[in-house]
Amino acid sequence: MTLLTEPIRETARRSVLCWLATVDAQGQPNVSPKEVWAIADDCHVVVAHIASPISARNIAQQPQVCVSFVDVFVQKGFKLLGAAREVHAADPEFATWAKPLLAMVGQRFTIHSVLVVHVKSVAAIVAPSYRFYPDDTTEASQVQSALRRYGMGSYKK
């Protein structure tokens, strides 16, 4: 079953960061921005462990995670719930999972391991304006609002 459809993949491509939420053995949550991540296939997201010791430790203790990402201009995105595991550089499957991440970083960062998330469910994230003001809110109006807020001239989808 394809959970990570083309619209989800397209939003992921337009999202600079994702946010990985984990929880430790005592139930303390941790949310961490991740710069190097990708949708690997129809049901997996891969995240590079570059500087993520807390995320990796938490996943070893409690695999349930949430990955969220948003196109900040359109102000829409997705929340992915699933179970994660860490694949170390010495593991035979590392090269397969790390391939899209290594293509992103080249020699810029060392990827210590890959956090592989098996996605179990997907939910849309939308700015409240879409729900509370549906007649006045469009993707174009949200983009224009974001451009003004960020002091930018244009945006390409």
Side-chain angles (χ1 to χ4, degrees):
M1 182 166 87
T2 301
L3 282 175
L4 303 173
T5 62
E6 187 52 36
I8 295 168
R9 290 169 186 260
E10 181 56 34
T11 301
R13 285 189 284 271
R14 293 192 317 266
S15 301
V16 176
L17 299 172
C18 77
W19 297 88
L20 177 63
T22 62
V23 64
D24 69 16
Q26 290 74 42
Q28 180 65 46
N30 180 67
V31 178
S32 179
K34 304 302 181 193
E35 179 180 3
V36 181
W37 64 285
I39 293 178
D41 60 28
D42 291 347
C43 61
H44 291 94
V45 172
V46 288
V47 179
H49 170 2
I50 295 168
S52 305
I54 294 171
S55 297
R57 182 199 68 209
N58 286 355
I59 287 167
Q61 296 172 356
Q62 176 58 263
Q64 282 72 33
V65 300
C66 177
V67 176
S68 298
F69 52 91
V70 174
D71 176 328
V72 296
F73 293 101
V74 175
Q75 299 176 39
K76 289 182 178 179
F78 293 93
K79 176 175 76 170
L80 315 175
L81 298 178
R85 63 189 177 93
E86 185 176 14
V87 176
H88 297 276
D91 294 336
E93 61 185 317
F94 177 83
T96 300
W97 292 117
K99 185 176 181 177
L101 306 173
L102 291 167
M104 295 170 72
V105 301
Q107 299 301 312
R108 183 176 170 111
F109 296 112
T110 298
I111 297 176
H112 303 292
S113 63
V114 177
L115 306 175
V116 179
V117 179
H118 182 215
V119 178
K120 308 279 187 175
S121 69
V122 177
I125 298 171
V126 297
S129 296
Y130 286 106
R131 292 194 175 131
F132 291 113
Y133 303 101
D135 296 335
D136 301 328
T137 306
T138 64
E139 287 188 2
S141 71
Q142 292 296 86
V143 167
Q144 289 307 309
S145 175
L147 291 174
R148 282 191 303 276
R149 181 173 182 95
Y150 296 127
M152 299 176 64
S154 66
Y155 167 78
K156 283 190 178 184
K157 195 170 175 185

